[in-house]
């Protein structure tokens, strides 16, 4: 596994001046992002396939162990507040359980039986999309979960930092960020982790775009949960409709702080009609606007 090998350039990094060590680590982070350029088509194809499957009403299921699992949980958790993706349509299978998010339980990654049991307990099925993340591409828990999900008919996506591994062979869609050796040998929380985080962000955001949860480059389905987001929501309604600030605030109130409803209300629809029109168009604001014109 290239992510585990020692790079002789950094054999004595602990004796380097701190400035030089930090500079080298930063260069490694930049290289990690660059490693994804070859994966643009793979990410786009996986996003299109995932969106098509999720339109049937399924869930996004994130799977991983250690750093990879924590990154997957972080990405999935942010989809509800950012894009309004329903929390009940997101699931997480973390090696070692929820406690492993804050306390390392590295041995749990070897438990393939637990992964299969978790997939069954979660009721993963044909409408679901499972994203498994593993730097090595060999983590038994993650590989077993992907294999079980695929057997159950779910769409499976594997994100790894090594090619030709059990994970890339088990998943239908494969994203490989070949980040190579770490500056500190085997510390895949560094380059590999950075590439994984970016790949997850790119993939999930592309899925949300394809599902119509972005309009005019704006997060129109975001959850308004604090004063900052309320100001942002009012500004979006104003920008998308050209109405005055007080009218945008009123439309947002009538729409129950749903930006998409507020835009339609500002265009003359009643709150009930706005909600019904959005439901008819699966939450896609652009389609709803076109239908109301």
């Amino acid at each position: 596994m290239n992510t585990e090998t020692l790079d002789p350039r950094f054999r004595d990094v602990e004796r380097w001046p701190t400035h030089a060590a930090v500079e080298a680590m930063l260069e490694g982070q930049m290289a990690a992002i660059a490693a994804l350029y070859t994966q643009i088509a793979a990410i786009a194809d996986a996003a299109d396939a995932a969106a098509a499957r999720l339109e049937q009403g399924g869930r996004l299921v994130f799977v991983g162990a250690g750093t990879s699992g924590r990154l997957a949980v972080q990405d999935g958790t942010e989809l509800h507040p950012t894009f309004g993706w329903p929390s009940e349509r997101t699931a997480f299978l973390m090696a070692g359980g929820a406690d492993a998010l804050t306390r390392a339980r590295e041995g749990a990654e070897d438990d393939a039986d637990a992964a299969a049991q978790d997939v069954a307990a979660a009721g993963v099925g044909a409408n679901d999309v499972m994203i498994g993340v593993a730097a090595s591409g060999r983590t038994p828990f993650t590989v077993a979960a992907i294999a079980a999900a695929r057997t159950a008919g779910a769409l499976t996506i594997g994100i790894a930092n090594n090619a030709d591994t059990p994970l890339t062979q088990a998943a239908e869609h494969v994203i490989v960020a070949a980040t190579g050796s770490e500056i500190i040998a085997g510390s895949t929380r560094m380059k590999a982790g950075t590439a994984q985080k970016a790949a997850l962000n790119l993939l999930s955001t592309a899925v949300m775009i394809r599902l119509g949860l972005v309009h005019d480059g704006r997060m129109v389905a975001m959850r308004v949960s604090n004063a900052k987001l309320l100001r942002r929501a009012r500004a979006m309604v104003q920008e998308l409709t050209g109405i005055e600030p007080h009218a945008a605030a009123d439309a947002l109130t009538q729409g129950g702080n749903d930006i998409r409803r507020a835009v339609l209300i500002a265009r003359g629809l009643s709150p009930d009609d706005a909600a019904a029109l959005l439901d008819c168009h699966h939450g896609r604001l652009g389609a709803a606007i076109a239908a109301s014109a």
Side-chain angles (χ1 to χ4, degrees):
M1 295 181 291
N2 291 333
T3 52
E4 298 293 325
T5 59
L6 174 68
D7 188 329
R9 293 177 298 167
F10 308 111
R11 187 180 298 274
D12 60 348
V13 68
E14 70 276 11
R15 293 196 292 272
W16 292 14
T18 304
H19 181 280
V22 170
E23 182 178 29
M25 286 187 282
L26 178 58
E27 290 175 355
Q29 298 294 297
M30 296 168 67
I33 297 298
L36 287 171
Y37 272 104
T38 62
Q39 300 301 298
I40 291 173
I43 294 170
D45 289 346
D48 285 339
R53 188 69 62 95
L54 293 170
E55 285 181 335
Q56 307 305 312
R59 297 167 295 169
L60 269 172
V61 184
F62 294 84
V63 180
T67 296
S68 299
R70 295 181 193 104
L71 289 169
V73 170
Q74 179 188 19
D75 189 75
T77 300
E78 292 175 348
L79 298 180
H80 176 66
T82 305
F83 299 107
W85 180 252
S87 296
E88 63 272 18
R89 294 183 65 187
T90 309
F92 303 101
L93 304 185
M94 179 77 181
D99 288 345
L101 290 173
T102 56
R103 186 187 301 273
R105 295 189 58 188
E106 302 300 340
E109 71 177 38
D110 297 325
D111 198 340
D113 291 339
Q117 293 168 10
D118 286 351
V119 170
V124 174
N127 291 334
D128 295 325
V129 175
M130 178 176 284
I131 302 172
V133 190
S136 67
R138 300 175 180 274
T139 306
F141 182 92
T142 307
V143 174
I146 287 287
R150 189 167 184 177
T151 297
L155 179 76
T156 54
I157 302 170
I159 299 176
N161 299 93
N162 289 284
D164 300 322
T165 60
L167 178 59
T168 63
Q169 293 161 9
E172 293 168 75
H173 290 269
V174 178
I175 299 165
V176 179
T179 48
S181 299
E182 299 285 353
I183 291 175
I184 299 173
S187 182
T188 51
R189 59 181 286 274
M190 300 179 74
K191 288 166 61 181
T194 295
Q196 290 173 3
K197 175 67 165 61
L200 285 162
N201 281 172
L202 296 170
L203 174 62
S204 63
T205 301
V207 170
M208 295 297 111
I209 290 173
R210 290 283 72 84
L211 289 173
L213 298 175
V214 173
H215 176 75
D216 198 34
R218 295 172 170 85
M219 300 182 293
V220 292
M222 75 173 191
R223 297 301 176 185
V224 179
S225 58
N226 57 44
K228 179 191 74 174
L229 295 179
L230 179 59
R231 290 192 296 271
R232 182 184 295 173
R234 289 172 175 170
M236 279 195 228
V237 175
Q238 184 182 0
E239 292 164 0
L240 289 169
T241 61
I243 61 178
E244 295 298 320
H246 70 278
D250 181 60
L252 193 62
T253 298
Q254 291 186 59
N257 279 350
D258 185 299
I259 297 163
R260 294 165 295 177
R261 292 183 191 175
V263 169
L264 294 174
I265 291 168
R267 292 172 60 87
L269 273 66
S270 71
D272 287 344
D273 286 346
L277 189 60
L278 279 170
D279 286 343
C280 180
H281 292 282
H282 308 289
R284 297 175 182 270
L285 179 57
I289 290 174
S292 66

